[in-house]
Amino acid sequence: MYKLLIVEDESLIRKRLVYGMDFESHGCVVVGEARDGQEGSELIKKLDPDIVLTDINMPIKDAFDMLEETIDFSYCTIILSSYNEFANAQRAIKYGVTEFIVKPINETELYQAIDRAVEQVKQLHLVRRLSHTELILEKSQLQVKASSEASDEVVRQMLRYVAEHYSEKFIFEDVSRAIGYSAALLHDRFKREVNTTFNDYLNQYRIKKSIELLLKGDKKLYEIAELCGFSEYKYYNKVFKKYIGMSTTEFIEQL
């Protein structure tokens, strides 16, 4: 569930939004309510919501003051506006506001705006996870080479074999038979070209593919281990920690 904050000075409207709407069916849960921009700003800093649904004109601080004070926080904003405020609402564009709901509130329009905001939040979270993952990988021991980068044609075949069969259980003799060269020759040429052993490279490739699945967040760790060719989760976690410098659980917690 994504966290939704309601900021509205009119009590009846605020209570209707907090208690009378089925936001949960649209992937959101109301985590707080504020009567003005001052309270809204404090709750944004405290609760770190994903979506803020806010009126514009409010006492103490209006929506613009609140947005300015929390500009360093990452959330999607839905503006509630009356007809005579709509021109004023255009100011919010510089804060990344893309959704405007005109009062009186039409529930269908509001739910549609919530759905669009949820999609934006998903993209924001994905970008954040990818950026963080890139930083982690830069510090990691992973050095996965693309087959096109290899100058040795035999090594290119070995790299392609890994890309096509990494999810399967196989031994080096299977690679030798598939390519048509002796295991000893393949070991020597691979290490000379890639600067590591075949088994080490295979583990690195499997870890890289497992990170792609971890970022999607729709599979359990033991499923990811199996899909990436590891015989059991404990061994997968051990290999993951060797190259990434942290366990899979620690990696997920940092996303």
Side-chain angles (χ1 to χ4, degrees):
M1 287 287 180
Y2 294 101
K3 296 183 290 183
L4 173 64
L5 175 66
I6 308 294
V7 186
E8 168 63 64
D9 63 315
E10 294 186 47
S11 179
L12 289 178
I13 296 177
R14 187 174 69 254
K15 295 304 179 185
R16 176 193 171 195
L17 291 170
V18 173
Y19 301 108
M21 305 292 290
D22 184 18
F23 291 124
E24 290 192 8
S25 294
H26 296 263
C28 295
V29 59
V30 177
V31 293
E33 58 178 294
R35 295 170 295 181
D36 53 61
Q38 176 64 42
E39 287 186 1
S41 180
E42 293 171 357
L43 287 179
I44 289 171
K45 295 172 183 177
K46 178 181 178 181
L47 301 174
D48 192 22
D50 299 299
I51 302 171
V52 175
L53 176 60
T54 180
D55 191 10
I56 291 183
N57 293 325
M58 297 176 288
I60 306 179
K61 289 182 180 178
D62 63 17
F64 299 117
D65 292 329
M66 179 183 73
L67 293 173
E68 181 66 36
E69 284 189 1
T70 59
I71 198 167
D72 292 332
F73 288 78
S74 179
Y75 58 87
C76 289
T77 306
I78 300 175
I79 290 287
L80 298 174
S81 171
S82 61
Y83 283 106
N84 59 4
E85 293 173 345
F86 195 77
N88 199 28
Q90 303 307 303
R91 291 173 53 196
I93 292 176
K94 77 170 189 175
Y95 297 105
V97 178
T98 57
E99 296 293 339
F100 298 90
I101 301 296
V102 177
K103 295 179 180 179
I105 297 171
N106 178 291
E107 290 190 6
T108 299
E109 291 180 358
L110 178 55
Y111 286 139
Q112 289 174 346
I114 288 290
D115 290 339
R116 289 191 293 270
V118 165
E119 290 304 312
Q120 289 183 47
V121 170
K122 289 179 180 178
Q123 291 301 313
L124 286 172
H125 286 190
L126 178 59
V127 170
R128 190 185 306 167
R129 288 199 300 270
L130 290 174
S131 298
H132 186 66
T133 301
E134 287 178 3
L135 291 175
I136 293 175
L137 293 181
E138 285 178 4
K139 300 176 183 179
S140 74
Q141 302 298 314
L142 286 185
Q143 295 181 348
V144 177
K145 194 170 188 175
S147 60
S148 59
E149 297 175 329
S151 58
D152 187 322
E153 173 57 31
V154 172
V155 174
R156 283 200 293 271
Q157 291 182 51
M158 296 173 73
L159 294 175
R160 284 196 293 269
Y161 189 95
V162 170
E164 294 169 3
H165 300 277
Y166 73 91
S167 62
E168 306 168 12
K169 309 294 190 300
F170 64 85
I171 58 177
F172 194 74
E173 283 67 23
D174 296 325
V175 183
S176 177
R177 281 192 294 271
I179 297 177
Y181 286 88
S182 70
L185 182 144
L186 292 180
H187 272 300
D188 180 64
R189 292 176 71 162
F190 190 89
K191 189 167 185 178
R192 191 186 320 134
E193 173 80 27
V194 185
N195 200 33
T196 190
T197 65
F198 180 84
N199 190 59
D200 187 57
Y201 177 86
L202 174 60
N203 278 334
Q204 291 188 54
Y205 192 91
R206 284 171 167 168
I207 292 300
K208 180 176 179 292
K209 301 304 288 187
S210 79
I211 288 175
E212 294 175 9
L213 295 176
L214 285 170
L215 289 174
K216 292 181 179 179
D218 59 352
K219 288 183 172 55
K220 298 184 183 300
L221 290 175
Y222 75 86
E223 293 176 320
I224 292 175
E226 292 177 359
L227 288 170
C228 293
F230 291 99
S231 56
E232 58 179 18
Y233 167 68
K234 286 184 178 179
Y235 178 64
Y236 162 56
N237 196 49
K238 179 180 179 181
V239 176
F240 190 97
K241 191 169 185 177
K242 173 184 176 181
Y243 293 111
I244 306 302
M246 64 185 75
S247 68
T248 50
T249 302
E250 291 170 331
F251 178 84
I252 292 170
E253 288 175 350
Q254 292 191 27
L255 294 179

